[in-house]
Amino acid sequence: MIEHATGTHVFTPDPRNETIRIDIDGTLYPRAEAKVSVFDSGFMLGDGVWEGLRVHRGRIAFLDRHFDRLWQGAKAIAMDIGISRDDLAARLRGVLDANGMDGNGIHIRLMVTRGVRSTPYQDPRVVISPATIVIIPEWKAPAPETATRMLNLFTVHVRRGYPDVQDPKLNSHSKLNCITACIQAAQAGADEALMLDPHGFVATCNSTHFFIVRGGEVWTSSGDYCLDGITRRIVIEVAREAGIPTYERNFSLTDVYGADEAFTTGTFAGLAPVGNVDGRVIGTARGPMVERLQQLYLARIEKELA
């Protein structure tokens, strides 16, 4: 296992990743030769948007939803991705084919930055190239025990901010807010950080979304101060379709500490159960609601690929 990855991001290293080919602006490079300019907007300023994609049976799950979020994010920051959705989908398929990736256990990081700048400066008008598009595919499956191992969360002082400061709905390369939260949680010995919104209600985790179960109901945050997560949205949909009362609402740490079950969601690992938050024991084993939702989520993936 990778010792420096915790929580839902633990994975077993795969030696094939040392020889992967990475797509940069439509050209494939060996991993050791894949580079971007020091003047690139992403490296210099975190100016760009990205998506994490999961491959199942050689196909990318929920690609349309990920593309919707990518293009909406680019539009929000007045960035032209520069190619069509069909062309980008072809590039994704091409890099998978080039690496012989036609099964499961594959994760893709798709990154789009504003492009190369003529000088170190934040004004987009100094950009002198089209957008930079990088596609990194890896054999990277979550550890099998992720579905049952009880996560340890710690509530950090770092808040998810107001949208007029930096909108948390934007999946941007500027992740320092989440990184500082992750650092505080790691130093507290936790797997991941639980983050509050500016009003003190529970918002999200630093790299996943957060849910609780109380009295047969599933609660997650209002969504006002977190990324519009693809897996989060699908879990809400499948739960409601199954007749499970599911609510997007404000709730506090008091509600969390007294919850029957809790879990996180994310593209990499799907649903993962939470065992304790801030030293309060939520459960010592995966609960029935989490197990049921995991099955519903996997069934939705199979339906998506059918």
Side-chain angles (χ1 to χ4, degrees):
M1 299 296 176
I2 289 286
E3 294 181 355
H4 57 266
T6 63
T8 62
H9 290 81
V10 175
F11 63 95
T12 302
D14 191 316
R16 292 176 293 180
N17 288 327
E18 296 304 314
T19 56
I20 58 171
R21 301 174 72 187
I22 294 170
D23 185 307
I24 302 177
D25 294 331
T27 300
L28 293 171
Y29 298 89
R31 181 186 184 120
E33 299 173 17
K35 299 174 175 65
V36 296
S37 168
V38 295
F39 287 92
D40 185 79
S41 297
F43 170 77
M44 187 175 290
L45 295 163
D47 184 4
V49 290
W50 63 276
E51 291 292 324
L53 309 169
R54 173 60 65 190
V55 177
H56 296 271
R57 291 193 278 110
R59 295 183 59 191
I60 301 170
F62 310 113
L63 183 59
D64 284 344
R65 297 194 190 215
H66 284 284
F67 272 6
D68 286 346
R69 187 170 66 182
L70 184 75
W71 256 267
Q72 289 164 8
K75 184 177 181 180
I77 62 173
M79 182 181 74
D80 182 7
I81 292 177
I83 64 174
S84 69
R85 290 167 67 119
D86 287 344
D87 288 342
L88 185 53
R91 282 194 194 177
L92 288 166
R93 289 192 296 269
V95 76
L96 290 174
D97 291 342
N99 286 287
M101 294 173 166
D102 58 0
N104 296 319
I106 299 157
H107 182 266
I108 300 172
R109 176 58 64 96
L110 167 62
M111 296 171 283
V112 185
T113 77
R114 200 179 298 273
V116 176
R117 284 168 146 79
S118 62
T119 186
Y121 183 50
Q122 67 186 32
D123 193 327
R125 287 172 290 188
V126 304
V127 173
I128 57 173
S129 79
T132 301
I133 303 175
V134 177
I135 305 170
I136 303 176
E138 291 183 301
W139 280 277
K140 190 177 181 182
E145 63 269 23
T146 302
T148 55
R149 188 177 77 83
M150 307 302 284
L151 297 174
N152 171 23
L153 304 185
F154 179 77
T155 305
V156 298
H157 81 280
V158 183
R159 300 292 181 102
R160 300 291 282 184
Y162 288 107
D164 58 351
V165 177
Q166 181 170 331
D167 197 333
K169 289 187 174 67
L170 186 64
N171 201 21
S172 75
H173 283 247
S174 304
K175 305 299 285 187
L176 197 56
N177 173 265
C178 294
I179 293 169
T180 53
C182 180
I183 290 169
Q184 187 180 356
Q187 291 178 338
D191 293 311
E192 192 157 344
L194 186 61
M195 303 176 71
L196 306 181
D197 69 22
H199 308 289
F201 296 115
V202 173
T204 185
C205 295
N206 63 275
S207 69
T208 56
H209 288 87
F210 182 72
F211 289 73
I212 61 173
V213 180
R214 292 178 62 93
E217 297 179 348
V218 175
W219 297 3
T220 191
S221 74
S222 66
D224 293 338
Y225 296 95
C226 67
L227 179 69
D228 185 15
I230 307 298
T231 307
R232 173 185 183 272
R233 179 57 51 194
I234 292 167
V235 168
I236 292 171
E237 290 174 5
V238 298
R240 289 174 174 167
E241 289 168 3
I244 300 168
T246 303
Y247 304 101
E248 296 175 85
R249 53 167 296 174
N250 289 327
F251 59 91
S252 71
L253 286 172
T254 300
D255 298 310
V256 174
Y257 299 152
D260 303 319
E261 300 178 49
F263 61 95
T264 65
T265 64
T267 296
F268 181 67
L271 282 76
V274 172
N276 71 79
V277 179
D278 302 335
R280 277 75 161 185
V281 176
I282 307 299
T284 57
R286 178 181 59 179
M289 182 67 80
V290 172
E291 184 174 7
R292 184 183 181 193
L293 289 171
Q294 287 174 332
Q295 294 169 352
L296 290 170
Y297 174 66
L298 292 175
R300 172 58 68 86
I301 292 176
E302 290 303 317
K303 181 179 179 181
E304 164 78 7
L305 300 180

mmCIF file of all heavy atoms in Angstrom, residues 26-69:
data_model
loop_
_atom_site.group_PDB
_atom_site.id
_atom_site.type_symbol
_atom_site.label_atom_id
_atom_site.label_comp_id
_atom_site.label_asym_id
_atom_site.label_seq_id
_atom_site.Cartn_x
_atom_site.Cartn_y
_atom_site.Cartn_z
ATOM 1 N N GLY A 26 -2.510 16.636 -27.166
ATOM 2 C CA GLY A 26 -2.676 15.749 -28.305
ATOM 3 C C GLY A 26 -1.467 14.935 -28.686
ATOM 4 O O GLY A 26 -1.536 14.118 -29.607
ATOM 5 N N THR A 27 -0.344 15.110 -27.999
ATOM 6 C CA THR A 27 0.870 14.333 -28.248
ATOM 7 C C THR A 27 1.160 13.447 -27.050
ATOM 8 O O THR A 27 1.065 13.900 -25.909
ATOM 9 C CB THR A 27 2.072 15.254 -28.517
ATOM 10 O OG1 THR A 27 1.789 16.071 -29.664
ATOM 11 C CG2 THR A 27 3.330 14.444 -28.789
ATOM 12 N N LEU A 28 1.525 12.191 -27.316
ATOM 13 C CA LEU A 28 1.817 11.253 -26.244
ATOM 14 C C LEU A 28 3.295 11.286 -25.881
ATOM 15 O O LEU A 28 4.169 11.283 -26.761
ATOM 16 C CB LEU A 28 1.425 9.834 -26.664
ATOM 17 C CG LEU A 28 -0.075 9.585 -26.843
ATOM 18 C CD1 LEU A 28 -0.308 8.212 -27.474
ATOM 19 C CD2 LEU A 28 -0.801 9.680 -25.510
ATOM 20 N N TYR A 29 3.565 11.315 -24.561
ATOM 21 C CA TYR A 29 4.932 11.335 -24.057
ATOM 22 C C TYR A 29 5.104 10.233 -23.015
ATOM 23 O O TYR A 29 4.190 9.969 -22.216
ATOM 24 C CB TYR A 29 5.239 12.679 -23.386
ATOM 25 C CG TYR A 29 5.165 13.875 -24.298
ATOM 26 C CD1 TYR A 29 3.959 14.559 -24.487
ATOM 27 C CD2 TYR A 29 6.291 14.340 -24.963
ATOM 28 C CE1 TYR A 29 3.878 15.654 -25.319
ATOM 29 C CE2 TYR A 29 6.228 15.451 -25.795
ATOM 30 C CZ TYR A 29 5.018 16.100 -25.972
ATOM 31 O OH TYR A 29 4.946 17.201 -26.801
ATOM 32 N N PRO A 30 6.287 9.598 -22.961
ATOM 33 C CA PRO A 30 6.569 8.712 -21.832
ATOM 34 C C PRO A 30 6.504 9.499 -20.527
ATOM 35 O O PRO A 30 6.781 10.706 -20.510
ATOM 36 C CB PRO A 30 7.999 8.221 -22.115
ATOM 37 C CG PRO A 30 8.208 8.447 -23.573
ATOM 38 C CD PRO A 30 7.391 9.657 -23.925
ATOM 39 N N ARG A 31 6.140 8.819 -19.457
ATOM 40 C CA ARG A 31 5.966 9.488 -18.169
ATOM 41 C C ARG A 31 7.158 10.379 -17.812
ATOM 42 O O ARG A 31 6.982 11.516 -17.386
ATOM 43 C CB ARG A 31 5.754 8.435 -17.077
ATOM 44 C CG ARG A 31 5.542 9.021 -15.689
ATOM 45 C CD ARG A 31 5.477 7.939 -14.629
ATOM 46 N NE ARG A 31 5.178 8.525 -13.323
ATOM 47 C CZ ARG A 31 4.115 8.232 -12.590
ATOM 48 N NH1 ARG A 31 3.230 7.365 -13.031
ATOM 49 N NH2 ARG A 31 3.916 8.804 -11.430
ATOM 50 N N ALA A 32 8.364 9.891 -17.999
ATOM 51 C CA ALA A 32 9.556 10.638 -17.593
ATOM 52 C C ALA A 32 9.777 11.885 -18.444
ATOM 53 O O ALA A 32 10.523 12.787 -18.039
ATOM 54 C CB ALA A 32 10.788 9.737 -17.668
ATOM 55 N N GLU A 33 9.149 11.953 -19.594
ATOM 56 C CA GLU A 33 9.356 13.094 -20.497
ATOM 57 C C GLU A 33 8.150 14.027 -20.555
ATOM 58 O O GLU A 33 8.176 15.021 -21.287
ATOM 59 C CB GLU A 33 9.675 12.578 -21.909
ATOM 60 C CG GLU A 33 10.932 11.726 -21.967
ATOM 61 C CD GLU A 33 11.138 11.100 -23.336
ATOM 62 O OE1 GLU A 33 10.500 11.584 -24.308
ATOM 63 O OE2 GLU A 33 11.909 10.131 -23.437
ATOM 64 N N ALA A 34 7.105 13.746 -19.788
ATOM 65 C CA ALA A 34 5.882 14.553 -19.826
ATOM 66 C C ALA A 34 6.069 15.811 -18.989
ATOM 67 O O ALA A 34 6.200 15.745 -17.765
ATOM 68 C CB ALA A 34 4.701 13.737 -19.307
ATOM 69 N N LYS A 35 6.096 16.965 -19.659
ATOM 70 C CA LYS A 35 6.377 18.232 -18.975
ATOM 71 C C LYS A 35 5.519 19.349 -19.552
ATOM 72 O O LYS A 35 5.099 19.292 -20.708
ATOM 73 C CB LYS A 35 7.854 18.609 -19.130
ATOM 74 C CG LYS A 35 8.833 17.591 -18.544
ATOM 75 C CD LYS A 35 10.274 17.973 -18.859
ATOM 76 C CE LYS A 35 11.263 17.042 -18.186
ATOM 77 N NZ LYS A 35 11.153 15.654 -18.706
ATOM 78 N N VAL A 36 5.274 20.371 -18.721
ATOM 79 C CA VAL A 36 4.670 21.608 -19.196
ATOM 80 C C VAL A 36 5.616 22.758 -18.880
ATOM 81 O O VAL A 36 6.511 22.638 -18.040
ATOM 82 C CB VAL A 36 3.285 21.876 -18.554
ATOM 83 C CG1 VAL A 36 2.293 20.781 -18.953
ATOM 84 C CG2 VAL A 36 3.386 21.976 -17.047
ATOM 85 N N SER A 37 5.394 23.888 -19.536
ATOM 86 C CA SER A 37 6.254 25.054 -19.358
ATOM 87 C C SER A 37 6.137 25.631 -17.948
ATOM 88 O O SER A 37 5.067 25.581 -17.332
ATOM 89 C CB SER A 37 5.859 26.134 -20.374
ATOM 90 O OG SER A 37 6.472 27.371 -20.081
ATOM 91 N N VAL A 38 7.249 26.207 -17.456
ATOM 92 C CA VAL A 38 7.180 26.920 -16.177
ATOM 93 C C VAL A 38 6.323 28.170 -16.300
ATOM 94 O O VAL A 38 5.935 28.762 -15.288
ATOM 95 C CB VAL A 38 8.590 27.302 -15.670
ATOM 96 C CG1 VAL A 38 9.397 26.068 -15.341
ATOM 97 C CG2 VAL A 38 9.325 28.191 -16.675
ATOM 98 N N PHE A 39 5.990 28.566 -17.533
ATOM 99 C CA PHE A 39 5.114 29.706 -17.758
ATOM 100 C C PHE A 39 3.653 29.272 -17.930
ATOM 101 O O PHE A 39 2.796 30.107 -18.201
ATOM 102 C CB PHE A 39 5.564 30.501 -18.992
ATOM 103 C CG PHE A 39 6.810 31.304 -18.775
ATOM 104 C CD1 PHE A 39 8.059 30.778 -19.068
ATOM 105 C CD2 PHE A 39 6.748 32.589 -18.242
ATOM 106 C CE1 PHE A 39 9.204 31.512 -18.856
ATOM 107 C CE2 PHE A 39 7.900 33.332 -18.023
ATOM 108 C CZ PHE A 39 9.135 32.789 -18.331
ATOM 109 N N ASP A 40 3.386 27.979 -17.772
ATOM 110 C CA ASP A 40 2.017 27.515 -17.921
ATOM 111 C C ASP A 40 1.147 28.075 -16.802
ATOM 112 O O ASP A 40 1.554 28.143 -15.634
ATOM 113 C CB ASP A 40 1.970 25.988 -17.901
ATOM 114 C CG ASP A 40 0.573 25.469 -18.188
ATOM 115 O OD1 ASP A 40 0.196 25.442 -19.366
ATOM 116 O OD2 ASP A 40 -0.151 25.146 -17.225
ATOM 117 N N SER A 41 -0.068 28.444 -17.145
ATOM 118 C CA SER A 41 -0.977 29.077 -16.190
ATOM 119 C C SER A 41 -1.287 28.180 -14.992
ATOM 120 O O SER A 41 -1.486 28.667 -13.873
ATOM 121 C CB SER A 41 -2.290 29.446 -16.894
ATOM 122 O OG SER A 41 -2.071 30.385 -17.919
ATOM 123 N N GLY A 42 -1.356 26.875 -15.217
ATOM 124 C CA GLY A 42 -1.640 25.964 -14.113
ATOM 125 C C GLY A 42 -0.493 25.899 -13.131
ATOM 126 O O GLY A 42 -0.693 25.984 -11.915
ATOM 127 N N PHE A 43 0.729 25.752 -13.635
ATOM 128 C CA PHE A 43 1.897 25.706 -12.762
ATOM 129 C C PHE A 43 2.108 27.041 -12.060
ATOM 130 O O PHE A 43 2.389 27.095 -10.861
ATOM 131 C CB PHE A 43 3.152 25.357 -13.578
ATOM 132 C CG PHE A 43 4.427 25.512 -12.804
ATOM 133 C CD1 PHE A 43 4.803 24.542 -11.880
ATOM 134 C CD2 PHE A 43 5.232 26.624 -12.973
ATOM 135 C CE1 PHE A 43 5.980 24.686 -11.145
ATOM 136 C CE2 PHE A 43 6.396 26.769 -12.245
ATOM 137 C CZ PHE A 43 6.765 25.804 -11.330
ATOM 138 N N MET A 44 1.949 28.114 -12.794
ATOM 139 C CA MET A 44 2.288 29.430 -12.268
ATOM 140 C C MET A 44 1.255 29.976 -11.286
ATOM 141 O O MET A 44 1.605 30.557 -10.256
ATOM 142 C CB MET A 44 2.469 30.416 -13.432
ATOM 143 C CG MET A 44 2.991 31.780 -13.051
ATOM 144 S SD MET A 44 3.292 32.789 -14.522
ATOM 145 C CE MET A 44 4.718 31.958 -15.236
ATOM 146 N N LEU A 45 -0.046 29.730 -11.581
ATOM 147 C CA LEU A 45 -1.098 30.398 -10.810
ATOM 148 C C LEU A 45 -2.259 29.488 -10.396
ATOM 149 O O LEU A 45 -3.207 29.965 -9.766
ATOM 150 C CB LEU A 45 -1.659 31.575 -11.622
ATOM 151 C CG LEU A 45 -0.686 32.722 -11.915
ATOM 152 C CD1 LEU A 45 -1.224 33.588 -13.034
ATOM 153 C CD2 LEU A 45 -0.457 33.549 -10.668
ATOM 154 N N GLY A 46 -2.197 28.216 -10.749
ATOM 155 C CA GLY A 46 -3.339 27.357 -10.463
ATOM 156 C C GLY A 46 -4.559 27.743 -11.273
ATOM 157 O O GLY A 46 -5.699 27.551 -10.826
ATOM 158 N N ASP A 47 -4.322 28.281 -12.467
ATOM 159 C CA ASP A 47 -5.386 28.832 -13.304
ATOM 160 C C ASP A 47 -5.866 27.761 -14.278
ATOM 161 O O ASP A 47 -5.309 27.575 -15.355
ATOM 162 C CB ASP A 47 -4.847 30.054 -14.062
ATOM 163 C CG ASP A 47 -5.901 30.756 -14.895
ATOM 164 O OD1 ASP A 47 -7.078 30.359 -14.831
ATOM 165 O OD2 ASP A 47 -5.539 31.711 -15.622
ATOM 166 N N GLY A 48 -6.911 27.037 -13.882
ATOM 167 C CA GLY A 48 -7.443 25.997 -14.739
ATOM 168 C C GLY A 48 -8.493 25.183 -14.016
ATOM 169 O O GLY A 48 -8.802 25.433 -12.843
ATOM 170 N N VAL A 49 -9.056 24.211 -14.708
ATOM 171 C CA VAL A 49 -10.063 23.315 -14.137
ATOM 172 C C VAL A 49 -9.666 21.885 -14.471
ATOM 173 O O VAL A 49 -8.899 21.637 -15.398
ATOM 174 C CB VAL A 49 -11.474 23.631 -14.667
ATOM 175 C CG1 VAL A 49 -11.975 24.954 -14.116
ATOM 176 C CG2 VAL A 49 -11.497 23.654 -16.196
ATOM 177 N N TRP A 50 -10.211 20.932 -13.721
ATOM 178 C CA TRP A 50 -9.804 19.540 -13.908
ATOM 179 C C TRP A 50 -10.936 18.597 -13.541
ATOM 180 O O TRP A 50 -11.909 18.995 -12.907
ATOM 181 C CB TRP A 50 -8.562 19.227 -13.071
ATOM 182 C CG TRP A 50 -8.773 19.361 -11.583
ATOM 183 C CD1 TRP A 50 -8.690 20.512 -10.846
ATOM 184 C CD2 TRP A 50 -9.123 18.330 -10.660
ATOM 185 N NE1 TRP A 50 -8.968 20.246 -9.524
ATOM 186 C CE2 TRP A 50 -9.233 18.924 -9.375
ATOM 187 C CE3 TRP A 50 -9.353 16.956 -10.793
ATOM 188 C CZ2 TRP A 50 -9.572 18.176 -8.245
ATOM 189 C CZ3 TRP A 50 -9.692 16.223 -9.654
ATOM 190 C CH2 TRP A 50 -9.783 16.843 -8.403
ATOM 191 N N GLU A 51 -10.764 17.338 -13.924
ATOM 192 C CA GLU A 51 -11.700 16.273 -13.589
ATOM 193 C C GLU A 51 -10.920 15.004 -13.258
ATOM 194 O O GLU A 51 -9.874 14.732 -13.862
ATOM 195 C CB GLU A 51 -12.652 15.968 -14.750
ATOM 196 C CG GLU A 51 -13.651 17.064 -15.063
ATOM 197 C CD GLU A 51 -14.689 17.265 -13.973
ATOM 198 O OE1 GLU A 51 -15.103 16.253 -13.360
ATOM 199 O OE2 GLU A 51 -15.081 18.424 -13.730
ATOM 200 N N GLY A 52 -11.452 14.235 -12.318
ATOM 201 C CA GLY A 52 -10.952 12.895 -12.061
ATOM 202 C C GLY A 52 -11.957 11.910 -12.632
ATOM 203 O O GLY A 52 -13.163 12.006 -12.359
ATOM 204 N N LEU A 53 -11.494 10.964 -13.438
ATOM 205 C CA LEU A 53 -12.379 10.041 -14.146
ATOM 206 C C LEU A 53 -12.033 8.599 -13.776
ATOM 207 O O LEU A 53 -10.863 8.259 -13.609
ATOM 208 C CB LEU A 53 -12.239 10.216 -15.665
ATOM 209 C CG LEU A 53 -12.363 11.652 -16.201
ATOM 210 C CD1 LEU A 53 -11.944 11.705 -17.661
ATOM 211 C CD2 LEU A 53 -13.786 12.152 -16.048
ATOM 212 N N ARG A 54 -13.038 7.769 -13.690
ATOM 213 C CA ARG A 54 -12.855 6.362 -13.353
ATOM 214 C C ARG A 54 -13.269 5.505 -14.538
ATOM 215 O O ARG A 54 -14.328 5.741 -15.144
ATOM 216 C CB ARG A 54 -13.689 6.019 -12.114
ATOM 217 C CG ARG A 54 -13.736 4.553 -11.742
ATOM 218 C CD ARG A 54 -12.391 3.968 -11.438
ATOM 219 N NE ARG A 54 -11.763 4.547 -10.268
ATOM 220 C CZ ARG A 54 -10.503 4.313 -9.928
ATOM 221 N NH1 ARG A 54 -9.756 3.524 -10.676
ATOM 222 N NH2 ARG A 54 -9.993 4.863 -8.854
ATOM 223 N N VAL A 55 -12.419 4.537 -14.876
ATOM 224 C CA VAL A 55 -12.676 3.640 -15.999
ATOM 225 C C VAL A 55 -13.176 2.301 -15.478
ATOM 226 O O VAL A 55 -12.556 1.699 -14.592
ATOM 227 C CB VAL A 55 -11.399 3.433 -16.840
ATOM 228 C CG1 VAL A 55 -11.650 2.443 -17.975
ATOM 229 C CG2 VAL A 55 -10.911 4.771 -17.393
ATOM 230 N N HIS A 56 -14.302 1.845 -16.017
ATOM 231 C CA HIS A 56 -14.879 0.545 -15.677
ATOM 232 C C HIS A 56 -15.055 -0.248 -16.972
ATOM 233 O O HIS A 56 -15.679 0.235 -17.919
ATOM 234 C CB HIS A 56 -16.244 0.700 -14.993
ATOM 235 C CG HIS A 56 -16.183 1.400 -13.672
ATOM 236 N ND1 HIS A 56 -15.986 0.736 -12.480
ATOM 237 C CD2 HIS A 56 -16.283 2.717 -13.363
ATOM 238 C CE1 HIS A 56 -15.975 1.605 -11.492
ATOM 239 N NE2 HIS A 56 -16.160 2.810 -11.993
ATOM 240 N N ARG A 57 -14.501 -1.444 -16.996
ATOM 241 C CA ARG A 57 -14.581 -2.309 -18.176
ATOM 242 C C ARG A 57 -14.180 -1.562 -19.448
ATOM 243 O O ARG A 57 -14.786 -1.708 -20.502
ATOM 244 C CB ARG A 57 -15.985 -2.901 -18.317
ATOM 245 C CG ARG A 57 -16.286 -3.913 -17.230
ATOM 246 C CD ARG A 57 -17.527 -4.741 -17.508
ATOM 247 N NE ARG A 57 -18.759 -4.039 -17.142
ATOM 248 C CZ ARG A 57 -19.633 -3.590 -18.018
ATOM 249 N NH1 ARG A 57 -19.426 -3.735 -19.309
ATOM 250 N NH2 ARG A 57 -20.730 -2.975 -17.619
ATOM 251 N N GLY A 58 -13.138 -0.736 -19.318
ATOM 252 C CA GLY A 58 -12.604 -0.025 -20.466
ATOM 253 C C GLY A 58 -13.362 1.215 -20.867
ATOM 254 O O GLY A 58 -12.980 1.887 -21.833
ATOM 255 N N ARG A 59 -14.421 1.551 -20.117
ATOM 256 C CA ARG A 59 -15.218 2.728 -20.458
ATOM 257 C C ARG A 59 -15.199 3.722 -19.307
ATOM 258 O O ARG A 59 -15.159 3.339 -18.141
ATOM 259 C CB ARG A 59 -16.659 2.325 -20.778
ATOM 260 C CG ARG A 59 -16.787 1.459 -22.025
ATOM 261 C CD ARG A 59 -18.228 1.163 -22.326
ATOM 262 N NE ARG A 59 -18.998 2.394 -22.544
ATOM 263 C CZ ARG A 59 -20.323 2.441 -22.625
ATOM 264 N NH1 ARG A 59 -21.022 1.321 -22.481
ATOM 265 N NH2 ARG A 59 -20.946 3.585 -22.820
ATOM 266 N N ILE A 60 -15.257 4.986 -19.652
ATOM 267 C CA ILE A 60 -15.228 6.050 -18.642
ATOM 268 C C ILE A 60 -16.636 6.270 -18.122
ATOM 269 O O ILE A 60 -17.564 6.560 -18.886
ATOM 270 C CB ILE A 60 -14.671 7.354 -19.236
ATOM 271 C CG1 ILE A 60 -13.249 7.124 -19.773
ATOM 272 C CG2 ILE A 60 -14.669 8.459 -18.184
ATOM 273 C CD1 ILE A 60 -12.715 8.284 -20.586
ATOM 274 N N ALA A 61 -16.795 6.125 -16.818
ATOM 275 C CA ALA A 61 -18.122 6.245 -16.203
ATOM 276 C C ALA A 61 -18.542 7.704 -16.087
ATOM 277 O O ALA A 61 -17.742 8.562 -15.712
ATOM 278 C CB ALA A 61 -18.118 5.591 -14.825
ATOM 279 N N PHE A 62 -19.795 7.968 -16.439
ATOM 280 C CA PHE A 62 -20.417 9.284 -16.265
ATOM 281 C C PHE A 62 -19.634 10.402 -16.969
ATOM 282 O O PHE A 62 -19.513 11.518 -16.467
ATOM 283 C CB PHE A 62 -20.591 9.607 -14.781
ATOM 284 C CG PHE A 62 -21.244 8.505 -13.997
ATOM 285 C CD1 PHE A 62 -20.543 7.806 -13.028
ATOM 286 C CD2 PHE A 62 -22.569 8.143 -14.244
ATOM 287 C CE1 PHE A 62 -21.133 6.770 -12.314
ATOM 288 C CE2 PHE A 62 -23.173 7.109 -13.539
ATOM 289 C CZ PHE A 62 -22.450 6.418 -12.568
ATOM 290 N N LEU A 63 -19.101 10.094 -18.151
ATOM 291 C CA LEU A 63 -18.264 11.067 -18.855
ATOM 292 C C LEU A 63 -19.036 12.330 -19.202
ATOM 293 O O LEU A 63 -18.498 13.444 -19.097
ATOM 294 C CB LEU A 63 -17.688 10.433 -20.124
ATOM 295 C CG LEU A 63 -16.736 11.328 -20.935
ATOM 296 C CD1 LEU A 63 -15.548 11.763 -20.086
ATOM 297 C CD2 LEU A 63 -16.257 10.603 -22.198
ATOM 298 N N ASP A 64 -20.303 12.200 -19.611
ATOM 299 C CA ASP A 64 -21.081 13.392 -19.964
ATOM 300 C C ASP A 64 -21.197 14.343 -18.776
ATOM 301 O O ASP A 64 -21.095 15.567 -18.936
ATOM 302 C CB ASP A 64 -22.477 13.002 -20.454
ATOM 303 C CG ASP A 64 -22.468 12.451 -21.874
ATOM 304 O OD1 ASP A 64 -21.458 12.663 -22.568
ATOM 305 O OD2 ASP A 64 -23.455 11.812 -22.276
ATOM 306 N N ARG A 65 -21.417 13.795 -17.586
ATOM 307 C CA ARG A 65 -21.536 14.646 -16.393
ATOM 308 C C ARG A 65 -20.206 15.326 -16.086
ATOM 309 O O ARG A 65 -20.188 16.506 -15.710
ATOM 310 C CB ARG A 65 -21.990 13.821 -15.199
ATOM 311 C CG ARG A 65 -23.370 13.203 -15.348
ATOM 312 C CD ARG A 65 -23.861 12.703 -14.016
ATOM 313 N NE ARG A 65 -25.074 11.897 -14.124
ATOM 314 C CZ ARG A 65 -26.039 11.893 -13.227
ATOM 315 N NH1 ARG A 65 -25.955 12.651 -12.152
ATOM 316 N NH2 ARG A 65 -27.098 11.122 -13.376
ATOM 317 N N HIS A 66 -19.115 14.603 -16.240
ATOM 318 C CA HIS A 66 -17.809 15.218 -15.996
ATOM 319 C C HIS A 66 -17.513 16.306 -17.025
ATOM 320 O O HIS A 66 -16.982 17.370 -16.687
ATOM 321 C CB HIS A 66 -16.713 14.149 -16.023
ATOM 322 C CG HIS A 66 -16.655 13.308 -14.779
ATOM 323 N ND1 HIS A 66 -16.106 13.771 -13.596
ATOM 324 C CD2 HIS A 66 -17.076 12.051 -14.526
ATOM 325 C CE1 HIS A 66 -16.187 12.827 -12.679
ATOM 326 N NE2 HIS A 66 -16.777 11.776 -13.215
ATOM 327 N N PHE A 67 -17.867 16.047 -18.276
ATOM 328 C CA PHE A 67 -17.662 17.069 -19.304
ATOM 329 C C PHE A 67 -18.537 18.291 -19.037
ATOM 330 O O PHE A 67 -18.102 19.432 -19.241
ATOM 331 C CB PHE A 67 -17.965 16.488 -20.689
ATOM 332 C CG PHE A 67 -16.787 15.818 -21.345
ATOM 333 C CD1 PHE A 67 -15.595 15.635 -20.672
ATOM 334 C CD2 PHE A 67 -16.867 15.369 -22.655
ATOM 335 C CE1 PHE A 67 -14.502 15.020 -21.281
ATOM 336 C CE2 PHE A 67 -15.792 14.755 -23.282
ATOM 337 C CZ PHE A 67 -14.610 14.576 -22.595
ATOM 338 N N ASP A 68 -19.773 18.069 -18.612
ATOM 339 C CA ASP A 68 -20.635 19.208 -18.288
ATOM 340 C C ASP A 68 -19.963 20.094 -17.246
ATOM 341 O O ASP A 68 -19.927 21.331 -17.394
ATOM 342 C CB ASP A 68 -21.980 18.721 -17.740
ATOM 343 C CG ASP A 68 -22.887 18.154 -18.816
ATOM 344 O OD1 ASP A 68 -22.615 18.370 -20.013
ATOM 345 O OD2 ASP A 68 -23.877 17.482 -18.453
ATOM 346 N N ARG A 69 -19.442 19.483 -16.179
ATOM 347 C CA ARG A 69 -18.809 20.265 -15.111
ATOM 348 C C ARG A 69 -17.535 20.941 -15.603
ATOM 349 O O ARG A 69 -17.256 22.098 -15.258
ATOM 350 C CB ARG A 69 -18.519 19.367 -13.910
ATOM 351 C CG ARG A 69 -18.029 20.134 -12.692
ATOM 352 C CD ARG A 69 -17.989 19.264 -11.455
ATOM 353 N NE ARG A 69 -16.983 18.197 -11.562
ATOM 354 C CZ ARG A 69 -16.780 17.272 -10.620
ATOM 355 N NH1 ARG A 69 -17.523 17.267 -9.523
ATOM 356 N NH2 ARG A 69 -15.864 16.340 -10.774
#
